[in-house]
Amino acid sequence: MEMKEGDIVSLSADAVYYSGKVMPDWVKNDKWIIKSVTGDRAILGKNVSGSNDINSPVNIKYLHVLGQEQHNNAAAATTPQKNVANLQQTTATGEMSVSDRGVELIAKYEGCRLEAYKCPAGVWTIGYGHTQGVQQGQKLPSVEAAKDLLKQDLKKYGGYVNNCVKKGLISFPLTQNQFDALTSFCYNCGNGSLQNLVSGRDAATVADKLLLYNKAGGKVLAGLTRRREEERALFLAS
């Protein structure tokens, strides 16, 4: 059967992305609507429920046609606005990336300084906590430039969350809001704390345990408490 745009497909258990990158189980276990086909390369668009949109390339040999999608226009017209905001942001390799909503949450709690300063650990820092290559006397031209640096830094911390999925430490399928909340947590608390938070836990437990990471030097800090509460609220948002 010739594969074409609009076909609903399932994936083989051994499926990988077209680039050869590992594909998470939550992708392989769902059913997807083909966005386009070029030669042996098909682009997966939305899943059949409309909750995720990954725009990821896959070799057609891993795909099995189940039927033809019949309600593109109706689904688009009836998609609640709150779900549109929660569609997944993905990279070219199919991994998740932090959304603008996630960036804004992190920026809110990190604060912005346009001139280089030494953090409490003695490291030269600028913008929203950026440290790589920062030197004394360095200045940024605008808040927008600082936010661009933050977005670059968040690729690393979002990568830590993606790695937890690859390693099976995160056993539940992540929504965009959950990914953003965990990226914010990781940027603040580090990869080790992220792994401790998510390992072997379901989503509800992770949400509750988030609130425990509100101390510094053994003391509860109001700022950390507010951040954890907002991260938890985002994690639980539909």
Side-chain angles (χ1 to χ4, degrees):
M1 179 185 296
E2 182 182 356
M3 196 167 296
K4 58 189 179 299
E5 178 183 353
D7 281 346
I8 297 173
V9 297
S10 62
L11 293 104
S12 302
D14 59 344
V16 295
Y17 290 112
Y18 197 84
S19 63
K21 292 283 187 179
V22 174
M23 182 181 291
D25 287 341
W26 67 266
V27 175
K28 289 191 285 188
N29 293 336
D30 210 336
K31 297 177 181 64
W32 300 90
I33 301 170
I34 295 294
K35 190 170 185 179
S36 64
V37 180
T38 305
D40 66 348
R41 187 174 185 267
I43 302 295
L44 303 182
K46 292 183 179 181
N47 59 354
V48 291
S49 68
S51 59
N52 291 317
D53 190 354
I54 60 175
N55 292 308
S56 299
V58 180
N59 192 302
I60 60 175
K61 69 180 181 181
Y62 295 119
L63 305 178
H64 308 283
V65 177
L66 303 176
Q68 178 74 15
E69 201 263 339
Q70 300 293 331
H71 52 277
N72 287 345
N73 294 333
T78 58
T79 299
Q81 187 63 36
K82 66 178 183 179
N83 288 339
V84 171
N86 199 26
L87 292 178
Q88 287 190 356
Q89 307 292 314
T90 58
T91 66
T93 62
E95 294 184 338
M96 295 182 70
S97 60
V98 68
S99 72
D100 289 341
R101 182 177 183 179
V103 172
E104 292 304 321
L105 184 152
I106 295 164
K108 172 183 175 180
Y109 284 100
E110 291 295 328
C112 181
R113 294 175 64 173
L114 299 182
E115 187 169 350
Y117 64 97
K118 277 192 175 181
C119 72
V123 178
W124 285 106
T125 306
I126 202 167
Y128 295 96
H130 179 76
T131 58
Q132 184 175 1
V134 179
Q135 299 178 355
Q136 183 178 6
Q138 185 174 344
K139 295 182 180 180
L140 293 173
S142 64
V143 171
E144 289 73 21
K147 197 160 289 184
D148 286 341
L149 280 179
L150 175 61
K151 290 177 181 178
Q152 290 299 315
D153 288 342
L154 290 178
K155 292 179 181 179
K156 172 182 176 181
Y157 291 90
Y160 289 139
V161 180
N162 282 314
N163 285 339
C164 284
V165 174
K166 290 178 183 178
K167 294 176 180 178
L169 301 181
I170 296 176
S171 58
F172 51 90
L174 285 176
T175 67
Q176 183 63 50
N177 286 338
Q178 289 170 338
F179 181 87
D180 289 348
L182 292 177
T183 301
S184 174
F185 173 84
C186 184
Y187 192 69
N188 182 230
C189 298
N191 186 35
S193 293
L194 171 69
Q195 293 185 46
N196 290 336
L197 172 66
V198 301
S199 293
R201 290 171 171 163
D202 59 22
T205 303
V206 170
D208 290 341
K209 296 297 184 183
L210 261 172
L211 300 178
L212 301 180
Y213 292 80
N214 64 345
K215 303 177 183 67
K219 296 181 178 180
V220 174
L221 299 183
L224 287 180
T225 297
R226 288 193 298 271
R227 181 168 183 164
R228 296 291 92 84
E229 289 174 346
E230 189 162 347
E231 288 168 348
R232 182 178 185 274
L234 178 60
F235 188 92
L236 294 173
S238 59

